[in-house]
Amino acid sequence: YRLDQLIRASIGYFWGFPRSQLYSEAERLVRRGLVAEEREADGRRRRSMTITESGRDELRRWLEVPATDPTEIRDIGLLQLFFADGGDDPGAAVERLAAAQSRAHREQLRIYEELLRAGVVVDGSPQRATLEFGLRFEQLALRFWAEIGPAPGGTDDG
């Protein structure tokens, strides 16, 4: 449970990680000797996990090879936009979609700005850089959806 919370409060902002995968992946890491597990003997039988030296070595190897795969965009809003002309009133559908997407991206931008104000990441750190990317992405998305169909009540999207 705690690991799930940590993921949601950190990489969960840019890397979808289903809770069901969390448990299976943890088991796989234990089997490979990359993580050591301790389990409470009674009560809730909570598990505590710690990265092993082999796990640290594997992490270092992984970090040494820069990612070169193209970025995947998996966005339901974009999928609906692509197929919008299949409905009864494509223009209205696009306007509703643009308004809803603008609200969603405005809210995510607010969350990122709050994280920035709260100082949860250190200036100049890799974690700060990922937060900065998130901020820029949300700003870009807001501009995109404003061009597609302005949200009701104006186009002040930050």
Side-chain angles (χ1 to χ4, degrees):
Y1 175 73
R2 178 79 176 119
L3 186 55
D4 183 49
Q5 288 179 322
L6 289 171
I7 287 171
R8 290 177 191 272
S10 60
I11 66 170
Y13 287 110
F14 61 88
W15 189 266
F17 204 93
R19 182 177 260 183
S20 61
Q21 185 179 356
L22 176 64
Y23 297 110
S24 63
E25 197 62 25
E27 293 294 330
R28 188 180 72 78
L29 293 172
V30 168
R31 281 193 311 274
R32 290 189 57 204
L34 303 176
V35 171
E37 176 185 50
E38 290 184 33
R39 188 179 290 258
E40 290 179 344
D42 53 5
R44 293 178 56 193
R45 296 188 42 99
R46 285 180 282 211
R47 301 182 309 175
S48 296
M49 299 192 175
T50 308
I51 190 167
T52 63
E53 194 54 42
S54 295
R56 289 192 190 286
D57 290 343
E58 188 65 27
L59 175 61
R60 283 191 217 52
R61 278 192 290 279
W62 180 70
L63 290 171
E64 286 176 4
V65 181
T68 58
D69 295 349
T71 300
E72 292 182 29
I73 300 175
R74 185 177 169 90
D75 185 301
I76 294 173
L78 289 177
L79 189 60
Q80 288 182 329
L81 178 60
F82 185 86
F83 288 107
D85 60 358
D88 291 335
D89 186 352
V94 169
E95 283 187 31
R96 283 191 307 274
L97 178 61
Q101 287 293 300
S102 292
R103 284 189 300 275
H105 287 286
R106 197 175 300 113
E107 175 60 14
Q108 192 61 50
L109 180 60
R110 185 195 66 73
I111 290 168
Y112 289 161
E113 288 170 339
E114 180 56 35
L115 289 170
L116 193 62
R117 279 191 297 277
V120 298
V121 292
V122 177
D123 284 349
S125 70
Q127 294 78 25
R128 174 66 180 255
T130 58
L131 178 57
E132 292 288 343
F133 182 89
L135 287 161
R136 292 176 192 172
F137 175 81
E138 295 305 330
Q139 292 163 349
L140 173 69
L142 283 168
R143 285 192 300 275
F144 172 79
W145 288 107
E147 291 171 9
I148 296 300
T155 60
D156 182 20
D157 294 328

